[in-house]
């Protein structure tokens, strides 16, 4: 605010170069001010006073650094013009972003569907197959690994838990990174991590290292599903997307078939291995893990020769690279169709403007290499977190909640019953085995040579005097409150055999695996152990029941009809009807599990359940790709796949807890989850005719 007093002050220059300030309206009350400044030329005067008379009022704030009111007005006018320019630019950018999906869809239709998409189909299918194989590896090797590395029951459960936790984290991390680093680059990282740590797990001799390597492998391969579906969908035109994404799902089934078949052919053959000394041993189950690396290795080689998603490049404002890849797709397809003369006509593809990459590049020009690396990765982390937070926007919140519920319900029932089926079969086998147990009470055996195997027996309060046990196998035998006196055990192999509250006198154990853990609350007098076989020992004839491979093989094969039906009708009847109908039919099938009174019946209902539920999986994966914009597609799919893994972990504990107690509760939980998920799925928007946004 101007001072009225100062506004009435004028400046005069005397002949001696002195400056005098006088107040207007009189002059007689002026205050002379003497200064030692030298006289100034006319050119040295302020621009504001140039050309003015000496008596004219001057803006004295100029000498105090205060801008002139005219300058303030000019600055405000420039700011308003800049704001209008930015507003027009934002509107134009929004229009361009709205036009990009339609333009991209037109380009993909011009490129056609042909050789390039089929090559990418098989490469990404191998990556999906590698994920399917990894889901079966732990279950197949665990019966052998627990004996080879002396894994306790609690540690055995920890292995399966940590692998699923790693896959859950991997889905979240790699799904988010694929939206910032690129689909192809992240998929290469994912497959490389899986290959390296799976290979190392083949040679891990201790359980701790084996657990660590399998965790890292799970972290890698856990990101494959979000990337594969996002990557492939961005090379498909709208009318081909649902069908071909459904065909892609079949590779997960092929992974289960491959794992089951190779496990049956390799693991039971104990001789298929080698040893380096007595400490470093490679048994057949380790060779099985090595063979399971082939799909991931083939996929990695194939992905190296595949281009990046052009849709991702356009979202990242990399127009020229995207144009070259789209031209490659166009030329590859039309040359294969016998029309090499067709010209790629797209010349100007609209791209959204981004400031994120500019920020990274600005920072990369300064500082040390470590500082640049830190800035880049911290910036990328901030962008990923911002992408995750943007999924809670009002326009995405409701559909995201519905998808969350459907994914969780389907995964909870599917993976829960997936654990329940084989455990139920094992429990039935155990019950059948227990029903045939032979019980011997107060038997007295003296000076007898046991040269035959003892199987599934209980001996209570027996007496064994001067007896010899040589070159035999003792399986599932329990000696309770018995006396062994002057006995001799030689070259004895035991499985699930224990001595409880027994008295052992003057007895020799030579070259046997009967050691401390086999004797519980026993009294030993003058007992000798010579050349004992300490630790755990594999017995492939007993530990690898053919049923476990057959159940997995048939369960994987059963999804083939559901895959074919869903692929053929995905674009005809829509995603929503496929998902809702499949989940509701699967819910009805769960009631048939109440009729599971034999192993054959359980296997039959398992195949039926898998056949009906796989269509829901296919439809859910297709709609998850189509609902979200390209800049958030990988992040959203990664979160949904992480929810799937979390539901699988939760269901495995709940369903396994009721094995041998009741089958009503697991079946009821699966039924409720499928019905709720199926009904909520009907509320999802149909994306059959939706262009990828």
């Amino acid at each position: 605010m101007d001072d009225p007093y100062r506004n009435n002050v004028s400046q005069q220059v005397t002949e001696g170069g002195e400056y005098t300030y006088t107040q207007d309206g009189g002059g007689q009350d002026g205050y002379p001010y003497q200064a030692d400044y030298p006289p100034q030329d006319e050119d040295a005067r302020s621009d504001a006073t140039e050309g003015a008379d000496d008596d004219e009022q001057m803006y004295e704030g100029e000498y105090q650094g205060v801008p002139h009111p005219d300058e303030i007005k000019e600055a405000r006018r420039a700011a308003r013009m800049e704001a209008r320019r930015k507003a027009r630019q934002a509107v134009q950018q929004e229009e361009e972003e709205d036009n990009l999906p339609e333009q991209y869809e037109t380009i993909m239709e011009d490129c056609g569907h042909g050789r390039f998409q089929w090559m990418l189909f098989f490469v990404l299918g191998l990556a999906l197959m590698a994920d399917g194989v990894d889901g079966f590896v732990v279950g197949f090797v665990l019966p052998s690994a627990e004996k080879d590395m002396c894994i306790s029951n609690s540690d055995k459960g920890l292995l399966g838990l940590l692998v699923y936790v790693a896959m859950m984290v991997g889905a979240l991390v790699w799904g988010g990174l694929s939206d910032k680093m690129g689909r192809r680059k992240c998929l290469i990282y994912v497959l490389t991590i899986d290959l390296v740590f799976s290979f190392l797990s083949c040679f891990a001799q201790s359980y701790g290292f084996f657990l660590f390597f399998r965790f890292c492998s799970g972290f890698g391969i856990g990101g494959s599903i979000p990337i594969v579906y996002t990557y492939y969908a961005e090379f498909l035109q709208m009318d081909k997307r649902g069908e071909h994404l459904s065909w892609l799902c079949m590779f997960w089934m092929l992974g289960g078939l491959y794992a089951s078949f190779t496990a049956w052919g390799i693991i039971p053959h104990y001789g298929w291995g080698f040893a380096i000394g007595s400490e470093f041993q490679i048994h057949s189950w380790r060779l099985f893990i090595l063979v399971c690396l082939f799909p991931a290795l083939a996929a990695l080689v194939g992905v190296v020769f595949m281009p990046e998603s052009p849709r991702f490049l356009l979202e990242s404002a990399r127009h020229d690279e995207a144009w070259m890849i789209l031209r490659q797709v166009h030329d590859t397809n039309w040359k294969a169709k016998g029309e090499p003369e067709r010209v790629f006509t797209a010349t100007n593809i609209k791209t959204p403007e981004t400031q994120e990459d500019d920020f990274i590049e600005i920072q990369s020009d300064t500082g040390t290499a470590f500082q640049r690396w830190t800035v880049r990765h911290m910036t990328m982390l901030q962008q990923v977190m911002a992408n995750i937070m943007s999924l809670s926007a009002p326009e995405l919140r409701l559909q995201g909640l519905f998808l969350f519920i459907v994914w969780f319900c389907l995964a909870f029932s599917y993976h829960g019953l997936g654990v329940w089926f084989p455990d139920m079969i094992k429990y039935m086998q155990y019950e059948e085995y227990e029903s045939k147990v032979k019980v011997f009470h107060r038997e007295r055996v003296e000076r007898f040579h046991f040269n035959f195997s003892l199987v599934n027996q209980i001996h209570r309060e027996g007496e064994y005097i001067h007896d010899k046990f040589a070159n035999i196998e003792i399986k599932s035998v329990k000696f309770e409150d018995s006396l062994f006196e002057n006995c001799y055990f030689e070259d004895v192999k035991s499985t699930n055999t224990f001595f409880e509250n027994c008295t052992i006198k003057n007895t020799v154990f030579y070259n046997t695996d009967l050691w401390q853990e086999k004797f519980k609350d026993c009294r030993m007098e003058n007992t000798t152990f010579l050349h004992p076989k300490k630790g755990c020992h594999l017995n492939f004839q007993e530990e690898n029941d053919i049923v476990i491979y057959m159940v997995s093989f048939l369960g994987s094969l059963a999804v083939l009809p559901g895959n074919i039906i869903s692929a053929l009708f995905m674009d005809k009847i829509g995603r929503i009807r496929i998902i809702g109908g499949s989940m509701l039919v699967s819910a009805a099938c769960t009631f048939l599990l109440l009729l599971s009174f034999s192993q054959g019946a359980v296997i039959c209902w398992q195949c039926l359940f898998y056949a009906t539920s796989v269509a829901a999986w296919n439809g859910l994966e297709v709609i998850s790709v189509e609902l979200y914009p390209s800049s958030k597609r990988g992040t959203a799919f990664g979160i949904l796949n992480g929810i799937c893994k979390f539901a699988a972990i939760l269901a495995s504990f709940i369903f396994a807890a009721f094995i041998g107690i009741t089958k009503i509760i697991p079946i009821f939980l699966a039924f409720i989850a499928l019905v709720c998920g199926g009904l909520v799925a009907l509320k999802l928007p149909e994306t059959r005719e939706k262009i990828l946004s």
Side-chain angles (χ1 to χ4, degrees):
M1 182 176 180
D2 295 335
D3 188 344
Y5 174 79
R6 294 185 179 271
N7 287 338
N8 295 325
V9 178
S10 63
Q11 173 184 320
Q12 295 180 353
V13 184
T14 62
E15 295 180 355
E18 299 175 350
Y19 288 78
T20 303
Y21 287 83
T22 59
Q23 185 176 2
D24 294 344
Q28 66 276 10
D29 296 328
Y31 295 92
Y33 178 76
Q34 304 295 331
D36 296 329
Y37 299 125
Q40 295 183 349
D41 297 332
E42 184 70 20
D43 294 339
R45 294 189 180 186
S46 169
D47 294 339
T49 60
E50 185 177 357
D53 296 336
D54 290 343
D55 295 335
E56 184 178 355
Q57 179 180 342
M58 175 183 178
Y59 176 60
E60 62 86 21
E62 179 180 0
Y63 290 94
Q64 301 179 9
V66 179
H68 193 276
D70 293 339
E71 295 179 357
I72 296 177
K73 293 178 181 178
E74 184 65 26
R76 290 175 179 174
R77 187 180 303 109
R80 287 193 297 269
M81 293 178 62
E82 179 67 17
R84 294 192 190 100
R85 187 188 66 82
K86 290 183 177 180
R88 288 193 299 268
Q89 183 179 359
V91 173
Q92 182 181 2
Q93 179 179 346
E94 184 177 354
E95 292 176 354
E96 291 178 354
E97 291 178 354
D98 291 339
N99 293 332
L100 175 61
E102 288 80 4
Q103 186 181 15
Y104 188 81
E105 180 64 26
T106 302
I107 294 174
M108 293 310 303
E109 290 176 355
D110 182 54
C111 292
H113 188 92
R115 174 179 292 178
F116 181 88
Q117 279 82 2
W118 285 113
M119 290 190 302
L120 186 64
F121 174 81
F122 285 107
V123 170
L124 297 182
L126 288 171
L128 199 60
M129 183 177 174
D131 181 85
V133 169
D134 249 43
F136 288 90
V137 165
V138 172
F140 287 153
V141 305
L142 202 53
S144 302
E146 65 177 326
K147 294 295 181 182
D148 194 13
M149 295 187 290
C150 303
I151 304 175
S152 63
N153 289 332
S154 58
D155 291 339
K156 181 172 62 175
L158 183 63
L159 176 61
L161 172 64
L162 286 183
V163 169
Y164 263 93
V165 170
M167 295 176 76
M168 177 181 69
V169 176
L172 296 172
V173 172
W174 293 112
L177 290 177
S178 68
D179 284 333
K180 298 302 175 184
M181 296 174 58
R183 320 320 190 188
R184 174 181 174 272
K185 182 184 292 186
C186 284
L187 188 57
I188 290 175
Y189 289 158
V190 159
L191 294 173
T192 302
I193 292 173
D194 176 53
L195 279 170
V196 170
F197 288 100
S198 293
F199 179 79
L200 293 176
S201 70
C202 299
F203 304 95
Q205 298 296 305
S206 67
Y207 180 64
F209 279 110
F210 183 76
L211 194 67
F212 173 74
F213 292 145
R214 294 312 304 179
F215 179 87
C216 295
S217 171
F219 172 76
I221 201 63
S224 62
I225 290 181
I227 300 174
V228 163
Y229 284 103
T230 301
Y231 192 7
Y232 191 52
E234 292 173 348
F235 280 96
L236 297 173
Q237 57 200 66
M238 182 177 62
D239 58 341
K240 301 286 186 181
R241 200 164 53 232
E243 177 184 352
H244 288 271
L245 285 176
S246 299
W247 289 125
L248 187 66
C249 297
M250 293 184 63
F251 280 92
W252 204 93
M253 172 204 71
L254 295 178
L257 294 176
Y258 177 83
S260 304
F261 185 76
T262 54
W264 173 78
I266 295 176
I267 294 180
H269 297 81
Y270 182 79
W272 291 16
F274 60 91
I276 303 177
S278 58
E279 298 296 330
F280 193 83
Q281 299 183 2
I282 304 298
H283 294 133
S284 57
W285 66 270
R286 298 180 185 271
L287 295 179
F288 164 70
I289 298 179
L290 197 61
V291 172
C292 287
L293 299 180
F294 292 161
L297 180 61
L300 178 60
V301 174
V303 172
V304 170
F305 294 97
M306 290 292 110
E308 180 57 85
S309 165
R311 186 59 183 271
F312 165 77
L313 295 176
L314 291 174
E315 294 290 339
S316 303
R318 294 157 65 179
H319 174 275
D320 294 341
E321 296 176 62
W323 187 88
M324 292 296 294
I325 293 172
L326 289 171
R327 180 179 177 181
Q328 176 188 350
V329 175
H330 176 276
D331 294 346
T332 302
N333 288 340
W334 289 111
K335 285 181 181 178
K337 294 177 181 179
E339 300 183 39
E341 68 280 359
R342 294 195 59 159
V343 180
F344 184 58
T345 57
T347 56
N348 184 23
I349 308 175
K350 297 182 182 296
T351 57
E353 296 182 4
T354 60
Q355 297 179 350
E356 298 170 349
D357 296 332
D358 295 339
F359 175 74
I360 296 176
E361 293 302 323
I362 291 172
Q363 296 299 326
S364 66
D365 295 336
T366 60
T368 63
F370 176 75
Q371 290 174 335
R372 292 195 298 269
W373 183 90
T374 303
V375 168
R376 285 181 178 273
H377 289 78
M378 290 302 298
T379 304
M380 184 177 299
L381 179 61
Q382 293 174 3
Q383 295 170 5
V384 171
M385 294 304 299
N387 228 11
I388 294 175
M389 298 303 297
S390 66
L391 294 176
S392 61
E395 64 273 14
L396 300 176
R397 188 180 304 157
L398 186 59
Q399 66 187 29
L401 178 61
F402 287 161
L403 272 179
F404 176 96
I405 296 173
V406 178
W407 270 90
F408 182 88
C409 292
L410 183 57
F412 181 83
S413 58
Y414 184 89
H415 290 286
L417 290 177
V419 171
W420 186 83
F421 286 130
D423 284 355
M424 194 65 186
I425 292 174
K426 291 179 182 179
Y427 179 74
M428 289 180 174
Q429 291 177 334
Y430 174 76
E431 279 191 325
E432 182 181 357
Y433 191 79
E434 285 290 309
S435 65
K436 299 178 181 180
V437 65
K438 297 179 181 179
V439 180
F440 299 87
H441 188 67
R442 291 186 178 181
E443 64 175 349
R444 179 181 175 87
V445 182
E446 189 172 354
R447 299 186 184 278
F448 186 79
H449 183 193
F450 288 88
N451 57 0
F452 52 87
S453 296
L454 304 178
V455 180
N456 196 20
Q457 299 175 3
I458 298 178
H459 298 263
R460 296 192 178 101
E461 300 181 8
E463 294 182 3
Y464 305 91
I465 313 297
H466 292 285
D467 294 328
K468 182 178 182 180
F469 302 80
N471 298 312
I472 66 172
E473 181 179 0
I474 306 177
K475 178 186 176 183
S476 300
V477 176
K478 184 185 293 185
F479 295 94
E480 299 177 353
D481 303 310
S482 299
L483 171 65
F484 293 85
E485 186 173 356
N486 296 316
C487 293
Y488 183 76
F489 292 80
E490 181 180 359
D491 294 327
V492 175
K493 296 180 180 179
S494 64
T495 303
N496 195 29
T497 297
F498 301 97
F499 297 78
E500 295 184 1
N501 198 29
C502 296
T503 301
I504 304 175
K505 299 180 179 180
N506 304 319
T507 298
V508 176
F509 294 87
Y510 179 81
N511 195 31
T512 70
D513 59 3
L514 299 174
W515 194 235
Q516 296 177 354
E517 65 273 5
K518 303 286 186 177
F519 300 93
K520 300 180 179 180
D521 300 324
C522 294
R523 297 180 299 277
M524 296 187 180
E525 300 178 8
N526 195 24
T527 300
T528 305
F529 292 88
L530 301 175
H531 302 288
K533 298 178 181 179
K534 299 180 181 180
C536 305
H537 304 277
L538 287 174
N539 187 342
F540 284 91
Q541 294 179 351
E542 302 297 338
E543 297 299 332
N544 295 278
D545 192 346
I546 191 65
V547 175
I548 187 175
Y549 309 122
M550 184 181 69
V551 169
S552 299
F553 184 86
L554 292 177
S556 299
L557 188 62
V559 305
L560 179 60
N563 265 318
I564 295 175
I565 293 174
S566 63
L568 294 177
F569 291 95
M570 187 67 70
D571 288 322
K572 292 181 175 62
I573 66 176
R575 289 78 160 122
I576 303 306
R577 293 179 181 176
I578 288 284
I579 299 171
S582 175
M583 294 185 71
L584 294 177
V585 172
S586 301
C589 291
T590 57
F591 277 106
L592 296 176
L593 298 176
L594 296 173
L595 305 177
S596 303
F597 300 111
S598 65
Q599 299 179 39
V602 173
I603 296 174
C604 179
W605 304 136
Q606 173 196 14
C607 294
L608 180 62
F609 174 77
Y610 285 162
T612 56
S613 61
V614 68
W617 280 115
N618 294 355
L620 196 57
E621 285 157 349
V622 171
I623 199 173
S624 298
V625 169
E626 296 174 331
L627 273 180
Y628 289 94
S630 298
S631 60
K632 302 176 177 62
R633 187 169 295 126
T635 303
F637 206 120
I639 292 175
L640 294 172
N641 198 249
I643 293 169
C644 171
K645 297 299 187 293
F646 173 75
I649 295 171
L650 187 64
S652 63
F653 282 102
I654 295 176
F655 280 67
F658 292 99
I659 297 295
I661 300 176
T662 179
K663 57 186 177 182
I664 295 178
I665 295 180
I667 293 173
F668 179 75
L669 291 176
F671 173 80
I672 292 298
L674 288 169
V675 170
C676 291
L679 294 177
V680 172
L682 299 177
K683 298 291 185 180
L684 290 171
E686 180 57 67
T687 58
R688 180 173 34 170
E689 299 179 355
K690 182 178 186 296
I691 297 176
L692 289 182
S693 59

